[in-house]
Amino acid sequence: MDTKEELDALFAPPSDPQLPPDILGELQSIMRLHSISPQDLFFKWESYSIKMGSEQTKLDLTTAMAFKKDLQEMLERESRGKAHVRSVDKRGAYATPRNAAKNGDVYGILDGLVPSTPRQVSTNGATKRKATFETPAIPKVNKSNAMSSPSDGRTVSHQSNGIPKGPQGVAFSDRQNAGQIIETFNDQLLVHEPPVAPPPEPRVKVTANTDLKKFFYKPMAMHLSEASEVLDDRIDEFMSLIQDHHVLEDSAFGNAASQGTSEVIAVGRIASDTLEGRLNAASLVLETSRRMGAGIRVPLKVDSISYEFFPGQIVAVRGTNASGDYFSVNEVLEMPLLPPPASLASSLDSIKERLCGPEEGSREDPSQALNVLIASGPYTADDNLDFGPLHALCEKASSTYADVLILIGPILDIDHPLLATGDFDLPDDPSIEPDKATLNDAFRLLIGAPIRRLAQAVPSITIVLVPSVRDAINKHVSWPQEPFAKPGLGLPKQARMVSNPVTISFNEIVVGISAQDILFDLRREEVTVGKSAESNMLARLPRHIIQQRHFFPLFPPVDRKHLPKAGTEEGIATGTPIDLSYLKLGEWFNVRPDLLIIPSALPPFVKVVETVVVVNPGPSSKRKGAGTYSQMTIYPKRITEKERNLHRDEGRMIGHDLFKRARVDIVKI
C-alpha cells in the first residue's frame, strides 16, 4: 500500500473514500517535514483534535493547515525547552536567586508575609502556587490579593490560577449545535417517545452481577508474590480454555523456550524485550507460565502470520523453536469467546408485560421502549466549576422521563485545574462553616443538587454512578475501585453506587461498564503484524477486550507521560494505578455483556462487536468546550415462535439480541 492509499484509508470520510488533492498535499507535506509515517500522522491528528476540544476539527484545508502550524510550534517549543535546560546547567545549580539583590529575601521566605515584601509574580500574570491537600477555606482568598480584605462573593472563582494558558473555550451557554446527533446505530428504529407523565414506578430492575463487597480491599498494600501469582494463573486458565475449545491433548502443548523441531502449542503473555519505546514486531516476546516454561521469556518470530498484538495479551501460538534462540510462529489459535447472555422465556415475558402492559404492543411503538442516557466525565470545562453539561444532562433526563441515567467518572475530577489548586469558592450554604468545608461538601453542592432535582422531577428514574481513579472524593486510589461512599454526598435514593469496573443488569440486559480508558491505551500499544483482519480501529480495539474477557487486558499500563495532557500545572494525567493482586475483579465470568460502555478520549462511537453493543459516549465536557453523551432506545424483546418452540422442546435459553432492538445516538450536549 503506497502513501496515498494509507492516507486515504486513515483520513478519508466514509462518504468519500479519497481525500481531496489539496488536503492530501498538506498531509504529505507534514510527513516529509517531520519524517513520520501515515499512522503516526494519524495519531498526531487525533491528539490535536482532542486538544482543540472544539467542533472545528473536521479535516478540511483550513484545519489541515492549522494542524501543520501547531506541529511546527510544538517542535519549536521543544527546541526552546532543551536550550533552556542547557543554559540552566551552565549557570549552575547553586547560583544566587535574582530577587536577592532587590529585597534581600534570598529564598522568598518573607514572600507576602509583610507589606514591604514585593510579591513574586509570574510572567503570565498568574500567581504560582503548589497544590496542597488541605481543605479550601470558604470564602477562598486569591493569593494575588493576599494583603487585601477577602471578597464576600461565594460563587465559583474564575481567576486565572490553575487555568491553562492560551485562548479560552466557548462558554457552555454559547455552544453551537446543541442536541445535534453525530452518529446513529439502528436508525430504522424510532427514538424513545416521552410519556405525558413519568411512570408511577421504576420500569427497570437493577441487579449487580458483580460482588461489590470484594472491591472494598485495602489499596497500596500489594505484595509482589501475590501479583506474580495472579499474572501466572491467568496464563494457566487460558490454557485450559483453549484446550477445551480446540479439543487438544495435553501432549499438544509445550514450552516455547525449549529447543526442538517438533511443532508445539505455547500459551503465554505478550511482552516487549525492552522497557523503553513501543512494542513492535522485532521486540515481541512470549512470557510463559511457571508451570509450562518456568516463566521464561522467549522472542517470537512472526514473519509468516498476520495478527494484532499488545502487551499483556494472552495468546496461544503454534510453531517451533529449532534453534533455541526464538520461537517461530506458524499460527495464532483462535481465542474462545464467552457465550452471549440468555434468559428464560417466562422472564422475558414478564419484563415485556411490565413495559408494554397486558396488551400486546408493536415492536415499533417508541413509548414502550426504555430510555437510557449514558454520560462520562469530566462534566465541566477547565475554566469553571459550573458543571453546565451535568445540568443539561439532568434537564434532558427530566424532560424525556428517562428510565436510567448512567454517570461515569471522573465527576469531581482531581485533574481539573481549579480542584487541583484548591482555588475555588463554593455556593453559599448555611450548613458549611468557614474553613471546614470538605470535598464531600463540594460534591453535595455542585453535583448532588442537580441530581436531587432530577430525582424529584422523575421519581421512577434509576441513576447509576460509576467512580474513576480521577475522582477526588473516592479515597480508593487504585483500579479495580470501590464505589462512592454515599453518605454525605446529598444523593437521592434513586442513586445507585457501583464499582469500577462493574457488570450489572437492567431487567434482562447485561451491561459492562469501566471508567478506565483502555481503548486509548490499546490504540497506542497495539502492533499489527502483516495485514490486519479488521481495518476499522474502533471495531478492532473492543474485540481485544471481548477476546481477553477482561475490562483492562493491557499490562503494563501506558506511561502517564504518554497520555493526553491534564489541565493541572504539571500537565501529567493520573493514568492507571492498577492493583495487580485484585486484577481478577476486572475479569468477565459466565457470559459476555449485551452492552459494553467504555468511555475514551478517542472519538465517540457505537459498534457491534461479536454481538456486543460497544458504546464510547465521549466526555460530557472537553477542556474548552461542550462534549457528547449517548441516548439509547431499547425496545422489548419479542420472542419468535421458533425460539419459543426450541425453549419448550430442548430447554434452550433465549438470547437477548440487544444489537437488533436498540437504537443508539451519540448526541452533542
Side-chain angles (χ1 to χ4, degrees), residues 216 407-412 440 443 447 464-476 481-487 489 491 496-500:
F216 290 88
L407 298 177
I408 306 172
I411 299 178
L412 211 57
N440 280 5
F443 188 100
I447 309 297
V464 179
L465 284 86
V466 184
S468 163
V469 293
R470 287 165 51 186
D471 270 299
I473 64 165
N474 197 311
K475 297 180 181 179
H476 201 103
Q481 187 180 22
E482 69 180 31
F484 289 118
K486 192 173 182 180
L489 300 183
L491 293 172
R496 299 288 297 268
M497 323 301 271
V498 297
S499 59
N500 172 32

Side-chain angles (χ1 to χ4, degrees), residues 132-152:
T132 66
F133 295 97
E134 297 175 359
T135 303
I138 302 178
K140 183 72 181 178
V141 182
N142 192 299
K143 273 196 171 183
S144 60
N145 300 319
M147 299 308 299
S148 61
S149 301
S151 61
D152 294 330

Side-chain angles (χ1 to χ4, degrees), residues 88-289:
V88 169
D89 291 340
K90 289 180 180 179
R91 288 200 303 267
Y94 300 99
T96 303
R98 293 186 176 182
N99 67 339
K102 297 180 180 180
N103 53 24
D105 185 14
V106 178
Y107 298 106
I109 296 175
L110 302 179
D111 179 35
L113 298 181
V114 295
S116 61
T117 306
R119 295 196 56 80
Q120 299 177 11
V121 181
S122 61
T123 55
N124 63 352
T127 305
K128 298 282 186 177
R129 63 175 293 171
K130 293 183 178 179
T132 66
F133 295 97
E134 297 175 359
T135 303
I138 302 178
K140 183 72 181 178
V141 182
N142 192 299
K143 273 196 171 183
S144 60
N145 300 319
M147 299 308 299
S148 61
S149 301
S151 61
D152 294 330
R154 299 182 69 176
T155 57
V156 175
S157 172
H158 293 272
Q159 305 297 329
S160 60
N161 288 18
I163 299 175
K165 306 175 183 65
Q168 297 301 308
V170 178
F172 182 75
S173 58
D174 299 331
R175 69 194 186 281
Q176 298 180 351
N177 304 321
Q180 178 184 357
I181 297 175
I182 60 177
E183 183 177 348
T184 299
F185 169 71
N186 276 345
D187 56 357
Q188 74 276 7
L189 300 176
L190 298 177
V191 180
H192 172 262
E193 183 179 297
V196 178
E201 59 183 18
R203 301 203 305 156
V204 172
K205 181 181 179 181
V206 181
T207 306
N209 300 337
T210 301
D211 189 355
L212 299 181
K213 294 180 180 179
K214 293 183 179 180
F215 287 81
F216 290 88
Y217 63 88
K218 183 180 179 181
M220 297 193 297
M222 181 174 63
H223 298 285
L224 187 61
S225 58
E226 293 179 357
S228 64
E229 289 175 3
V230 169
L231 294 174
D232 199 65
D233 290 345
R234 183 164 166 79
I235 298 176
D236 292 336
E237 290 169 2
F238 265 86
M239 180 176 169
S240 300
L241 292 172
I242 292 164
Q243 183 174 7
D244 295 340
H245 178 73
H246 293 280
V247 193
L248 299 170
E249 299 292 335
D250 291 342
S251 58
F253 295 90
N255 181 6
S258 298
Q259 183 177 0
T261 56
S262 299
E263 191 176 63
V264 297
I265 297 174
V267 181
R269 177 180 291 103
I270 294 296
S272 176
D273 64 359
T274 176
L275 295 177
E276 302 296 333
R278 293 171 58 180
L279 185 71
N280 57 66
S283 64
L284 281 172
V285 297
L286 185 72
E287 179 183 305
T288 60
S289 67

Side-chain angles (χ1 to χ4, degrees), residues 445-568:
L445 296 175
L446 300 175
I447 309 297
I451 293 179
R452 289 194 300 273
R453 288 193 294 269
L454 170 62
Q456 292 173 357
V458 189
S460 60
I461 195 172
T462 298
I463 305 170
V464 179
L465 284 86
V466 184
S468 163
V469 293
R470 287 165 51 186
D471 270 299
I473 64 165
N474 197 311
K475 297 180 181 179
H476 201 103
V477 297
S478 56
W479 189 97
Q481 187 180 22
E482 69 180 31
F484 289 118
K486 192 173 182 180
L489 300 183
L491 293 172
K493 64 179 182 179
Q494 290 87 344
R496 299 288 297 268
M497 323 301 271
V498 297
S499 59
N500 172 32
V502 68
T503 303
I504 56 178
S505 293
F506 298 147
N507 294 336
E508 83 283 5
I509 302 166
V510 180
V511 184
I513 310 173
S514 176
Q516 208 60 37
D517 189 356
I518 179 60
L519 297 178
F520 185 91
D521 293 358
L522 283 175
R523 189 217 55 178
R524 188 185 185 281
E525 296 297 326
E526 182 193 45
V527 57
T528 300
V529 176
K531 186 177 180 180
S532 176
E534 176 59 73
S535 59
N536 190 318
M537 177 189 65
L538 298 181
R540 188 174 67 246
L541 298 180
R543 181 170 282 107
H544 291 318
I545 304 173
I546 297 170
Q547 289 178 341
Q548 295 292 302
R549 308 179 176 200
H550 202 284
F551 284 106
F552 201 93
L554 182 70
F555 179 79
V558 175
D559 192 319
R560 298 193 302 159
K561 294 181 291 186
H562 299 145
L563 297 175
K565 298 291 185 182
T568 57

